[in-house]
């Protein structure tokens, strides 16, 4: 997660430069990546997976940034890391009490296709199209942009694959009005489950690998109050904030 967060910092600087039409400086972008990494190290010890080493991860991060910077830059940027606090509604058009909080990595406009949200992921593997087409995260982004800008938006996943030979994968997905209403139905029913204290794991290949609650979630047997509290937080992170 530290690598992904640090790369996000570098990408945000790059996109902000493009948005204000100032020439991006590669060294500045890399410096923000390294500063974010060093800041994370001062906050808490970084847990490395088997086979991972600090120096190798830093090299991978720089290589992925360089690969992305070498590609044609995104055009007509509307927003970078913009927080959106928007209402949610169910499929019946009824508004929920709690709003949705979403922060999009990048939002740009194409003259032909309109608005597109780009979500950047750092992963040790390529994503499947089914993951992009079914994840609630994309639905949250599509809903937030439609509420904020009063027009639909596609969602594009740009996956920075940190394999031995770094690669960039792109997946695009769209959501219908029915999908947005279904999002509200899901949130509404999760709220009811939380009120009834009916907690259970939500296992998702898009999120589990980097989730800080993965181990207690895997150990959950439906008995421990501690596990229930952790899973309640996990539910809230999964649905209410993207």
């Amino acid at each position: 997660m530290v690598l992904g967060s640090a790369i996000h910092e570098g990408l945000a600087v790059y996109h902000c430069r493009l948005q204000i039409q100032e020439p991006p400086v590669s060294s500045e972008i890399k410096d923000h990546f390294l500063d974010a990494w060093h800041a994370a190290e001062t906050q808490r010890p970084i847990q490395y997976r088997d086979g991972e080493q600090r120096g190798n991860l830093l090299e991978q991060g720089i290589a992925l940034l360089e690969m992305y910077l070498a590609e044609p830059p995104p055009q007509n940027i509307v927003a970078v890391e913009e927080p959106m606090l928007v209402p949610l509604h169910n499929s019946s058009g009824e508004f929920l009490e709690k709003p949705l909080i979403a922060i999009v990595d990048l939002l740009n406009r194409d003259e032909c296709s309109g608005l597109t949200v780009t979500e950047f992921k750092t992963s040790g593997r390529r994503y499947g199209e089914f993951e992009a087409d079914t994840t609630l995260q994309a639905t949250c982004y599509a809903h937030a942009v439609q509420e904020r800008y009063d027009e639909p938006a596609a969602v594009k996943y740009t996956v920075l694959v940190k394999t031995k030979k770094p690669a960039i994968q792109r997946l695009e997905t769209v959501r219908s009005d029915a999908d947005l209403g279904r999002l509200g139905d899901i949130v509404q029913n999760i709220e009811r489950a939380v009120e009834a204290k009916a907690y259970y794991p939500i296992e998702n290949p898009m999120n589990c690998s980097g989730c800080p609650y993965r181990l207690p979630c895997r150990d959950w047997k439906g008995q421990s109050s501690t596990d229930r509290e952790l899973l309640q937080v996990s539910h809230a992170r999964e649905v209410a904030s993207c």
Side-chain angles (χ1 to χ4, degrees), residues 200-218:
Y200 52 90
I202 297 179
E203 296 177 330
N204 186 318
M206 292 279 285
N207 301 317
C208 285
S209 62
C211 179
Y213 300 99
R214 182 182 182 184
L215 292 180
C217 185
R218 294 298 300 171

Side-chain angles (χ1 to χ4, degrees), residues 109-110 113-115 142-154:
R109 184 186 300 279
D110 182 86
S113 57
L115 291 173
H143 174 80
V145 171
Q146 182 156 314
E147 288 290 327
R148 171 70 173 79
Y149 291 91
D150 197 26
E151 57 183 291

